Amino acid sequence: MVILGLGSNVGDRLSHLRKALRAIREEKDLTVQQVSPLYLSDALLPDHAPSDWDRPHLNFAIRCETPLEPLALLHILKNIEWSIGRKPEVRHWGPRILDIDILAWEDFTLASEALTVPHMNLIERPFALWPLADIAPLWRFPLSGPYQGKTAAELVEKWGSRFTREAPLRTVQLNQRLENPQLMGILNVTPDSFSDGGQFVQVDVAVQHALELVKAGAEIIDIGAESTSPRAQALTAQEEWTRLEPVLKAIALIKKDFLLPPLISIDTRHAEVAEKALAYSIDWINDVSGLDHVRMREIVREAKITCVIMHHLMLPERRDCVLPRDQDPIQALLAWGQQRLALLLEFGLTQDQLIFDPGIGFGKMAEQSLEVIKHIPAFKQLGTKILIGHSRKTFLSLFSKEPFANRDIETATLSLYLAQQGVDYLRIHQPETTARALKVMDLMGGEN
């Protein structure tokens, strides 16, 4: 058993760590058994360090098996660091795109110029020892001295809770995950959305909710100013922009206040709104029309921006416009997806830009929506990433009589199922319930 510690405090830290995890999984002589939760900590700095070194770190750990000798493994890990952008360097303290360290190797010890095992100062660093304890709680510290023979679980007791930021370097466990699905938090700045209409129409309330969504585990914030509920009032592009712009502007001003800076997605079917939103450096367009309109396709192509394309029958949605009962919903959605993707690729968009959303609840009866969820792996043949928006929706009436706003238990349960089916993104109103459930599943699912 080998425990690797990975960290980053430069650029898109989550992206760097995900690339490293994928690279480690691809190594033929490394078998990943379990991945720890993610931790955030202040930078560990030497005296008189430059102010630009003070950048928060993200860290996690991986439990692996390998037939390699320690120095051979170290060589592979350094190559992975360099492939992701870290340059060979002498300094040990400054900011870096990626660090991959060997934290522990069962009861093996080594002290050489090239490598020290267990990692030097491991027991004093919660950003390294907490992740280790999450995935190898019974590992025993092998070096002589007061800690010899103590388990990782015992060694971390001195820091108390992983969630209070009271440990050294304000280290805290996050709800964000290194593996899919990634969570998209819903921010409806609308008076008529089906489960939270009117709650976030005030700019300060909307901004506070965006901060809370990220703290809860969302990596993407999907901001919508026009409801697609069947009872909602359709808006003109100008009416939608009047609602949306103040929130976009306010969120742009407080990016530094987020626990992790989120990607910003705009939930719109209006090309004029999407084009104006680009000025605020948005990251995604979530188009419920599936890029029906040529001008929206042009915007996505020219901006090279990520776009969610959703299956639908008509917009605004109507309850009496659904797939026929005798039609196979999986085949219907696959045919639509294949045709739409072919059209968009011919138009000049790329496969990597596009995310497929089967449109749960849009043009589908409750039983059909559930059937789509049951057969999600079928949509992988489209070759795009997959996003599911199942949160609190009408089809959950099959399981509960609770009002829409009280359906987060059902939402989280389906989220666990969808995670096991390899879905890439989950669009949900309340990310924390799902994020916490996924963390438990991750830690229970590792091989012993």
Side-chain angles (χ1 to χ4, degrees):
M1 177 189 73
V2 181
I3 307 296
L4 305 179
L6 291 84
S8 175
N9 74 331
V10 172
D12 189 342
R13 297 165 293 173
L14 272 175
S15 177
H16 300 326
L17 295 177
R18 286 194 173 109
K19 287 177 183 176
L21 178 56
R22 284 196 297 270
I24 288 170
R25 287 193 184 279
E26 290 169 1
E27 286 291 332
K28 62 182 178 61
D29 290 322
L30 273 171
T31 301
V32 174
Q33 295 182 313
Q34 198 160 34
V35 178
S36 82
L38 189 69
Y39 286 81
L40 176 72
S41 67
D42 293 340
L44 181 62
L45 299 173
D47 293 338
H48 311 298
S51 59
D52 65 349
W53 284 18
D54 191 8
R55 305 179 186 183
H57 282 257
L58 292 183
N59 290 89
F60 75 106
I62 306 172
R63 192 177 82 231
C64 304
E65 291 290 343
T66 181
L68 297 171
E69 294 297 318
L71 292 179
L73 175 58
L74 179 65
H75 178 72
I76 287 173
L77 299 179
K78 291 303 174 188
N79 283 339
I80 292 173
E81 287 182 350
W82 299 335
S83 72
I84 292 170
R86 179 173 177 179
K87 304 302 180 187
E89 56 192 5
V90 175
R91 73 182 188 192
H92 300 290
W93 294 95
R96 68 278 314 269
I97 287 174
L98 180 66
D99 250 340
I100 310 177
D101 294 317
I102 299 172
L103 297 182
W105 199 310
E106 296 186 349
D107 59 355
F108 174 76
T109 64
L110 176 67
S112 71
E113 186 176 346
L115 179 63
T116 300
V117 181
H119 195 273
M120 192 177 299
N121 301 317
L122 172 64
I123 59 175
E124 300 169 8
R125 298 178 175 180
F127 61 83
L129 191 55
W130 258 335
L132 185 156
D134 289 328
I135 55 177
L138 301 183
W139 173 77
R140 293 184 180 277
F141 190 71
L143 297 180
S144 61
Y147 302 109
Q148 186 173 21
K150 290 187 179 293
T151 66
E154 291 177 281
L155 291 170
V156 298
E157 288 177 352
K158 59 188 176 185
W159 294 316
S161 171
R162 289 162 164 81
F163 308 102
T164 61
R165 304 208 77 172
E166 295 175 358
L169 301 172
R170 299 194 305 152
T171 306
V172 63
Q173 188 184 114
L174 301 180
N175 285 324
Q176 283 75 9
R177 306 170 68 245
L178 272 301
E179 303 195 86
N180 288 338
Q182 296 175 44
L183 303 184
M184 171 187 269
I186 299 170
L187 176 55
N188 288 321
V189 292
T190 58
D192 48 4
S193 290
F194 71 93
S195 80
D196 59 2
Q199 292 186 29
F200 310 114
V201 293
Q202 299 297 324
V203 173
D204 58 339
V205 177
V207 170
Q208 182 60 38
H209 190 56
L211 291 165
E212 291 168 356
L213 287 170
V214 172
K215 185 177 180 180
E219 293 183 44
I220 308 133
I221 303 298
D222 192 37
I223 309 173
E226 180 189 36
S227 173
T228 52
S229 166
R231 295 186 295 272
Q233 177 68 43
L235 300 181
T236 66
Q238 184 54 51
E239 288 170 332
E240 182 183 10
W241 182 244
T242 299
R243 287 182 185 173
L244 180 62
E245 184 185 24
V247 176
L248 268 182
K249 186 181 294 185
I251 286 177
L253 291 173
I254 56 101
K255 275 207 168 181
K256 66 179 184 346
D257 296 329
F258 283 99
L259 201 61
L260 285 177
L263 299 178
I264 300 298
S265 169
I266 301 304
D267 182 1
T268 184
R269 59 193 175 93
H270 291 119
E272 301 97 313
V273 171
E275 190 165 25
K276 290 177 180 177
L278 291 173
Y280 290 92
S281 301
I282 64 168
D283 302 283
W284 288 21
I285 294 169
N286 182 9
D287 183 2
V288 293
S289 82
L291 294 178
D292 274 346
H293 303 293
V294 172
R295 181 56 191 145
M296 188 72 96
R297 296 174 203 165
E298 291 172 344
I299 290 168
V300 173
R301 181 184 63 193
E302 292 161 11
K304 296 181 173 58
I305 196 168
T306 298
C307 185
V308 181
I309 55 170
M310 191 189 79
H311 173 268
H312 62 286
L313 294 184
M314 69 177 303
L315 294 169
E317 183 192 4
R318 276 177 37 188
R319 296 293 189 211
D320 61 347
C321 183
V322 296
L323 294 171
R325 286 188 181 275
D326 60 354
Q327 186 173 16
D328 182 337
I330 312 305
Q331 292 307 313
L333 267 65
L334 277 174
W336 183 91
Q338 289 162 349
Q339 292 169 4
R340 185 54 53 103
L341 286 169
L343 173 68
L344 297 176
L345 294 176
E346 184 178 355
F347 195 81
L349 279 70
T350 66
Q351 196 97 357
D352 289 344
Q353 281 180 273
L354 302 172
I355 297 170
F356 176 70
D357 177 355
I360 301 300
F362 286 82
K364 302 162 191 73
M365 290 175 281
E367 294 80 4
Q368 292 170 329
S369 287
L370 188 59
E371 194 71 8
V372 170
I373 286 177
K374 286 180 180 179
H375 293 88
I376 283 299
F379 300 106
K380 292 183 180 180
Q381 63 187 277
L382 294 174
T384 67
K385 292 184 177 180
I386 298 171
L387 179 146
I388 304 296
H390 59 300
S391 182
R392 299 180 177 176
K393 287 195 171 176
T394 300
F395 82 100
L396 294 174
S397 298
L398 294 171
F399 308 108
S400 175
K401 63 179 178 59
E402 291 293 322
F404 294 123
N406 294 350
R407 295 181 177 183
D408 292 325
I409 293 175
E410 292 79 12
T411 297
T413 303
L414 283 178
S415 295
L416 292 179
Y417 172 81
L418 290 164
Q420 293 172 327
Q421 304 308 305
V423 166
D424 300 286
Y425 304 101
L426 298 174
R427 182 180 183 271
I428 46 184
H429 293 85
Q430 208 277 62
E432 185 173 1
T433 304
T434 289
R436 288 165 57 187
L438 287 169
K439 278 201 291 186
V440 174
M441 186 177 73
D442 288 344
L443 289 178
M444 296 303 292
E447 299 176 17
N448 294 319

